[in-house]
Amino acid sequence: TIRRPGVIVSWGAHRYPGTRSLVGVVGCLIHLAHTESPRVAFTCIESALHLGKMSRAEWRRASMRLPHALRRRLAMAGILSESGGESLASWGLTDAGISFAQQVRILGVGRVDILVGRSLVIEIDGAEFHATRPQFEEDRRRDAALSALGYRVLRFSYTQVADRWGEVLAAISASVSRADHLG
């Protein structure tokens, strides 16, 4: 395996579906699950599922090639996460034993990324969709509307979720400890 910033080139046995020089999505994800952290593999699997690059049935069949414990953990991957940040947050919340729902529709606001309990909203903002002035203002409008409806909003950047999960989890855990989610 060769690693360079943004690129990983890997050689291995030709047990993955594809050609000699190109591996299909499912084969790539199986290889990734064997070579990267489960957290990274989970995020990539959710992305492929969400984008329709493979079906859950295809993933279930392919994952039979993984060790049982890893297969069981990656079986939680679904189609609801709309970004890598949401997948990473989902992984972390599950690890922490915090129950949540994803892509919950709230009247007058629209969908929120994650809802913990009845009233703790967690939004994950990647720079791609939250960087312009109108997007920034829309996020603040939504936060105000949610607050007026009795919700507590925690908003984190992709970088926080990906690189500083401990501080994100501390904020969420403190909010849950205060019963913000029971509103």
Side-chain angles (χ1 to χ4, degrees), residues 24-81:
V25 171
V26 175
C28 181
L29 291 169
I30 291 293
H31 182 70
L32 190 99
H34 282 292
T35 58
E36 295 294 328
S37 72
R39 179 179 183 241
V40 168
F42 177 82
T43 301
C44 294
I45 293 160
E46 283 213 333
S47 180
L49 289 167
H50 178 75
L51 294 171
K53 301 297 182 184
M54 69 177 175
S55 69
R56 287 190 53 90
E58 285 175 297
W59 173 245
R60 249 188 319 279
R61 282 190 305 276
S63 70
M64 297 307 286
R65 294 181 253 167
L66 298 173
H68 177 72
L70 180 59
R71 178 175 64 242
R72 206 178 72 204
R73 188 67 199 276
L74 296 179
M76 298 181 318
I79 63 169
L80 294 177
S81 292

Side-chain angles (χ1 to χ4, degrees), residues 12-140:
H14 297 289
R15 60 181 177 246
Y16 307 114
T19 67
R20 189 170 182 84
S21 60
L22 181 64
V23 176
V25 171
V26 175
C28 181
L29 291 169
I30 291 293
H31 182 70
L32 190 99
H34 282 292
T35 58
E36 295 294 328
S37 72
R39 179 179 183 241
V40 168
F42 177 82
T43 301
C44 294
I45 293 160
E46 283 213 333
S47 180
L49 289 167
H50 178 75
L51 294 171
K53 301 297 182 184
M54 69 177 175
S55 69
R56 287 190 53 90
E58 285 175 297
W59 173 245
R60 249 188 319 279
R61 282 190 305 276
S63 70
M64 297 307 286
R65 294 181 253 167
L66 298 173
H68 177 72
L70 180 59
R71 178 175 64 242
R72 206 178 72 204
R73 188 67 199 276
L74 296 179
M76 298 181 318
I79 63 169
L80 294 177
S81 292
E82 294 183 339
S83 69
E86 289 177 36
S87 293
L88 292 169
S90 170
W91 178 270
L93 290 171
T94 299
D95 260 2
I98 298 173
S99 297
F100 61 95
Q102 287 183 271
Q103 302 305 325
V104 176
R105 189 168 299 282
I106 297 175
L107 192 61
V109 177
R111 285 187 319 203
V112 297
D113 295 338
I114 296 171
L115 180 64
V116 177
R118 293 188 304 264
S119 57
L120 177 58
V121 171
I122 300 171
E123 294 281 58
I124 313 299
D125 297 342
E128 182 179 351
F129 297 107
H130 300 271
T132 68
R133 188 64 170 173
Q135 291 162 333
F136 178 87
E137 292 300 328
E138 176 60 12
D139 286 343
R140 297 318 162 278

